[in-house]
Amino acid sequence: MDKDQDLKALEKLLDSSRLNLKEMDRLEFLRLSGKAAVLSLGLTIASTLKGGKPTFAEESNPFNHQSYPFTLGVASGDPLPDGVVLWTRLAPDPLNGGGMPHYDVPVKWEMALDADFNKIVKHGVEFARNQLGHSVHVEVEGLQPNTVYYYRFRTGPETSPVGRTKTLPPFASDVAKMSFAFVSCQNWQAGYYTAYEHLAKEDLDLVFHLGDYIYEGGVDTSAVRQHNSPKILTLEDYRNRHALYRSDVHLQAAHAAFPWAVTMDDHEVENNYAGLHPDQKHTLEEFIKQRAAGYQAYYEHMPLRRSSLPYGANMQLYRRLNYGNLVDFHILDTRQYRDDQANGDGKKPPTPESMDPSRSLMGAEQERWLLDGLGQSRARWNVLAQQVFFAVRDFKSGVGEQLSMDAWDGYPANRDRILNFIQERNLSNFVVITGDVHNSWANELKADFKNPNSANIGVEFVGTSISSGGDGSDSGNAAVLAENPHIKFYNNYRGYVRCTVTPDHWQADYRVVPYITRPGAHVATRASFVVENGKQELNKIYDAPITVTSV
């Protein structure tokens, strides 16, 4: 076969892959996506025969824009001992739909052992698919465990920024130490992502994002920086909002520095939605369309595997990461399957409705999956990486209770089933990491929260927001701490939690910045807690107020 015949055959293969997702079921899409590695050699030949991939800087290029395609940076995620997901999205005009043509575009990817790419170990070509916003998800396999790699993408003459990632240790292997951070709640309008500037400089193996990656609201003209549209509803709305958030240089740096494991909460779709129950006044049909749009845009902008590809208004997000024999991370989805909030949502006293044992925050299938995983785990530490406050948190001083119906307090039977299982199986070293509430908290999880002397079942570290809530303060919230003796710490600054884990102890450092309504804040450790192996109690080893530097 001569070159012309080669080129025609490859072009036919490319044309056959330009499918509309509406005309393709999910399994067929997964099958076609998995062909990318096989197509890599042929696509490289086609590019050579045509004289190179599309050029973004030429007036005649098919993208109709003269700007850089990798405007949203790069990311990696969901690492395994032998692989990782690499992500980017082609978007030369990111805030206006992306600025790409209405067909799939091949993108070359490379992985190396060095940042200069002198030691390339893996490479290939993946499609930036039109029906997925020209996002790219590469599931690289055949890597070495517990190894740092560097990666980049190329299309036309353009090259993406370089990202750094790391694989996990071998399954069930002995691990002496790991470090990770967890983050949540990054409202663009509330302030700058200064916390990410500092997080990107940490020495970490992994980052968890526990929800509220974007916010769906409209423009607040009094905000520090404004959203780019009214309240979002359509797929293009969600894409443009994700692109706005992804344009932040500090967020891009944090993504490029470490692999991430992500899960969503509510604002990726709509505030406080529960399953198919919207918070706002929508018809069921309207909300299903909105949820489907939010889920698709979330997948398009996250380093997730094909197993998380949305199917209509549904998306598989709960999953596990096993860090050798040291930590099993059980990543939850507490939004998609939950029953509607009891008592009309908000902060309310418990009622027969909220106490109903049939109510679930997770859904029956996810609950079985979690209990099966906890029961079979042989790791030293078991972690729930999840969204909403797990421990009891009573806001009412004195007689009576006032509890958040959106948190686990609104679904206590579901929480009790988990804690009872852990107690019955005598599982030690149970840790919950949590986002959502825009404050830092540290909690001991009790067998009976109404009895301060009852046994501890585990601990919970609640991280503050990246920006949501504004500058914050060094408040100690004495009233809530007095009413809830199992809560050992509260702080209202923005930041993240850095965790260092060994077989013998777990240390959580609350890293905070004193302001985010202007750039340039320093970072400091506000408090540190240690949990010793086999002892489900919090030991505070550091506690120091933060100095706010004047303008």
Side-chain angles (χ1 to χ4, degrees), residues 41 49 156 218 261 263 279 290 301 331 395 407 432 434 464 476 484 517:
L41 179 60
L49 294 173
T263 187
D279 184 61
Q290 182 184 353
H301 290 85
I331 304 170
F395 292 93
V432 180
T434 300
T464 186
N484 302 270
T517 53

Side-chain angles (χ1 to χ4, degrees), residues 40-58:
S40 297
L41 179 60
L43 290 170
T44 303
I45 295 172
S47 173
T48 301
L49 294 173
K50 287 184 174 182
K53 297 190 182 75
T55 299
F56 284 84
E58 294 179 356

Side-chain angles (χ1 to χ4, degrees), residues 431-445:
V431 178
V432 180
I433 59 174
T434 300
D436 182 55
V437 294
H438 310 170
N439 317 113
S440 299
W441 306 75
N443 313 320
E444 293 177 342
L445 304 176

Side-chain angles (χ1 to χ4, degrees), residues 4 24 72 110 125 153 224 247 281 298 311 330 352 470 473 530:
D4 288 339
M24 180 193 341
L72 305 182
E110 296 174 317
V125 174
F153 300 89
V224 177
S247 70
K281 293 181 180 179
Y298 184 80
Y311 183 51
H330 311 266
S473 66
V530 165

Side-chain angles (χ1 to χ4, degrees), residues 17-19 29 32-33 104 127-135:
S17 72
R18 292 171 184 146
L19 301 176
F29 175 80
L32 286 171
S33 295
D104 301 342
F127 286 114
R129 291 195 175 273
N130 173 45
Q131 296 299 328
L132 290 176
H134 290 96
S135 60

